[in-house]
Amino acid sequence: MKQIALLGFGTVGLGVYEIINQHRGLYFAGKETPAAIKWILVRDKNKRRAVNPTDCVLTDDFEDIINDDSVDIIISAMGGMEPEYTYIKKSLERGKHVVTANKEVICAHIAELTDLANKNNVKLYYEGAVGGGIPIISSIVETLKINKITKIQGILNGTTNFILTKMTKEMRDFDEVLKVAQDLGFAEADPTADIEGYDVMRKICILASLAFHTHAKTEDVHLRGISNITLDDVKMADTMGYDFKYIGQALLKDDKYSISVTPVLLPKDSVMCNVNQEYNVILLYGDIIGELCFMGKGAGKDATANAVVSDTIKALNEEDSGNHINFAETANSYGLSGIKNEYYIRASVKNYDQFEKVIDLASGAIKKNNLTYTNSKVFFTTELIRSSDMLSLYEQLRECADDVFYARMEHSLL
Ligand code: NAP
Ligand code: HSE
């Protein structure tokens, strides 16, 4: 029987333990179980836990694990960069397969860790790092065998989709629903990563790195959070026939990439707009297959543990991990240049002077008959304009209004 060490016994770790050692689901249910968790690494051995395992050893010392030659597979589900990055490296160097759900580590070190796994003749898997239970990494690896992928778009964060859904459907406040998402185990230990978009940024960079054969860097991402969407924005979008979604997008053009993570207004009858709660959805465009759409639970114990254990089964069988993908092609980012969109804009004003300045600035970009003034707020939508022009309009509006929010408008997404 193969031996597994589990790093982390929080939301994801517990789900993995339940499937493997407690035989939830089919694969590990038989008498001849092919593997079991021998060690679990935690920060605090004395913490009160919902489950106290008696069939494996709880430790707070990684040395116990790395020095145990009987351990074949390391599953890492701790969170943050360090010490997990170092533990993953050491595990690969010691010839152990690694399965991880840590997108921060994979996003920053995908090329280096893939090389390290290949040098040590072991596998590195990270399906649980993107899209929760959706098998998107393995699908990209498969799609790439035949296709050139040129576009990826998706709702990639369960917490923020849950928040936007509750705001839209129940008209509840941002902070109130964030707390519910935290209680349900969707949010990161520090939820700033969810609401300011770092989590989506890391996930879309991992997907772009795989799909575009280059190490996509977070510093190239145009990133905007969702924390300043208000209920007024949600209501105004509703009257226009749209809802807000938080979208990660990666495009490839002439071997250069453009990656953004921004709030987007989607028509209510589009597929993506109807992906709600903690569900994620990802669209891929391959030159042969055309459009592919993947949907499933993007966060939470069981969905993520399903992805992690599925990788573990692959590790047991030493199946394809995508380790052959070469990230060495050095594609550069083309940023937002050449990209045009229509935009929704809200500017909150205190007096007539501010109102007049906002209207003056808006007049160059505004779509006909698309301006509303209510409750000291100016709402308008623009014609198709360059993203760079939108950025400079935003900066100018911020100088004369109290609070400004904008989002690009999409007319489809299936
Ligand atoms: P979590 O509930 O906060 O659990 C983290 C676990 O790691 C805890 O058991 C903690 O020990 C342990 N840990 C943290 N730092 C440690 C350290 N320095 N040394 C030893 N143990 C340490 O986190 P989670 O939600 O399960 O997430 C784990 C990972 O999966 C993260 O990378 C996250 O981004 C990723 N992920 C999470 C989800 C989700 O829905 N939650 C989905 C996909 C991916 P104690 O128990 O002693 O505190
Ligand atoms: N905090 C993340 C989310 C967990 O809400 O999507 C899954 O990666």
Side-chain angles (χ1 to χ4, degrees):
M1 187 166 62
K2 300 273 188 193
Q3 304 292 345
I4 298 168
L6 176 60
L7 315 185
F9 199 49
T11 304
V12 178
L14 175 60
V16 169
Y17 174 79
E18 285 173 350
I19 297 174
I20 298 178
N21 275 27
Q22 295 190 332
H23 309 311
R24 253 190 102 194
L26 298 175
Y27 191 83
F28 292 92
K31 273 197 208 138
E32 295 292 314
T33 191
I37 296 166
K38 180 176 180 186
W39 294 97
I40 298 180
L41 180 75
V42 290
R43 191 171 13 212
D44 176 7
K45 279 202 294 182
N46 301 316
K47 186 166 157 181
R48 280 171 67 96
R49 296 179 191 278
V51 173
N52 291 297
T54 51
D55 53 357
C56 52
V57 188
L58 220 60
T59 178
D60 55 10
D61 188 356
F62 179 69
E63 292 301 307
D64 289 342
I65 291 169
I66 201 68
N67 292 324
D68 180 348
D69 289 338
S70 73
V71 171
D72 304 285
I73 300 169
I74 303 283
I75 299 178
S76 89
M78 290 163 49
M81 184 59 79
E82 285 294 2
E84 204 164 348
Y85 166 54
T86 302
Y87 293 172
I88 290 174
K89 269 204 325 195
K90 283 189 175 173
S91 303
L92 294 169
E93 282 162 358
R94 287 286 184 98
K96 299 177 194 306
H97 301 301
V98 170
V99 173
T100 183
N102 187 318
K103 48 249 164 173
E104 194 169 344
V105 171
I106 293 300
C107 170
H109 300 288
I110 192 167
E112 180 208 352
L113 293 176
T114 303
D115 272 356
L116 196 58
N118 288 335
K119 271 190 199 121
N120 290 283
N121 210 16
V122 287
K123 306 278 190 185
L124 170 70
Y125 302 88
Y126 39 87
E127 189 69 79
V130 185
I134 305 173
I136 188 63
I137 303 286
S138 48
S139 300
I140 287 184
V141 169
E142 279 307 304
T143 305
L144 281 172
K145 288 179 182 164
I146 300 169
N147 291 260
K148 180 166 180 150
I149 296 175
T150 53
K151 194 195 285 192
I152 306 168
Q153 292 169 305
I155 296 173
L156 292 165
N157 183 270
T159 303
T160 47
N161 204 35
F162 184 86
I163 292 172
L164 289 175
T165 303
K166 293 284 179 205
M167 287 178 79
T168 306
K169 309 269 180 221
E170 298 170 20
M171 292 293 157
R172 288 165 73 182
D173 263 337
F174 189 95
D175 292 335
E176 184 192 335
V177 284
L178 169 60
K179 173 83 180 63
V180 182
Q182 285 175 301
D183 292 344
L184 288 168
F186 306 151
E188 296 301 306
D190 173 4
T192 318
D194 295 299
I195 59 187
E196 295 306 335
Y198 310 126
D199 182 72
V200 181
M201 174 177 80
R202 290 169 187 140
K203 289 168 174 169
I204 191 76
C205 281
I206 293 172
L207 299 184
S209 296
L210 279 166
F212 304 159
H213 294 253
T214 190
H215 189 175
K217 303 283 191 317
T218 53
E219 54 266 33
D220 291 330
V221 177
H222 172 65
L223 171 67
R224 296 184 46 241
I226 59 156
S227 55
N228 61 343
I229 297 181
T230 63
L231 281 180
D232 286 329
D233 296 312
V234 171
K235 285 175 194 159
M236 183 52 68
D238 184 59
T239 62
M240 292 161 35
Y242 288 76
D243 283 334
F244 285 101
K245 291 291 177 189
Y246 199 26
I247 305 283
Q249 172 172 279
L251 309 171
L252 186 72
K253 197 172 72 183
D254 303 330
D255 293 325
K256 288 188 175 179
Y257 63 80
S258 168
I259 305 181
S260 65
V261 175
T262 58
V264 174
L265 277 173
L266 294 180
K268 282 178 183 290
D269 58 1
S270 62
V271 169
M272 266 211 199
C273 196
N274 288 287
V275 176
N276 290 318
Q277 308 291 359
E278 76 273 32
Y279 281 82
N280 283 191
V281 59
I282 301 150
L283 292 183
L284 292 186
Y285 300 81
D287 60 344
I288 307 289
I289 188 87
E291 242 165 6
L292 282 172
C293 181
F294 303 84
M295 188 193 138
K297 279 189 185 163
K301 180 174 69 110
D302 288 344
T304 312
N306 189 88
V308 170
V309 178
S310 169
D311 274 350
T312 307
I313 294 169
K314 285 187 185 158
L316 285 170
N317 299 323
E318 302 200 14
E319 284 173 31
D320 189 2
S321 62
N323 281 23
H324 58 278
I325 288 178
N326 179 4
F327 300 101
E329 284 179 28
T330 46
N332 293 320
S333 165
Y334 66 93
L336 297 176
S337 73
I339 295 179
K340 282 184 170 180
N341 289 297
E342 291 176 19
Y343 292 91
Y344 158 91
I345 303 177
R346 184 249 310 147
S348 306
V349 292
K350 266 202 301 259
N351 49 44
Y352 186 75
D353 183 45
Q354 283 192 337
F355 172 81
E356 215 175 24
K357 284 180 179 154
V358 167
I359 300 295
D360 268 0
L361 284 169
S363 60
I366 206 157
K367 202 168 187 167
K368 270 201 179 81
N369 301 325
N370 262 302
L371 186 139
T372 306
Y373 174 71
T374 177
N375 291 334
S376 304
K377 293 176 187 78
V378 181
F379 301 87
F380 61 99
T381 57
T382 72
E383 298 283 3
L384 202 62
I385 58 170
R386 285 196 199 96
S387 301
S388 51
D389 291 342
M390 179 61 237
L391 284 178
S392 63
L393 176 60
Y394 173 63
E395 289 309 328
Q396 292 173 72
L397 285 168
R398 272 178 13 133
E399 275 171 29
C400 64
D402 258 17
D403 179 40
V404 183
F405 171 77
Y406 74 96
R408 98 168 179 262
M409 301 178 72
E410 289 274 356
H411 295 302
S412 70
L413 278 195
L414 292 182

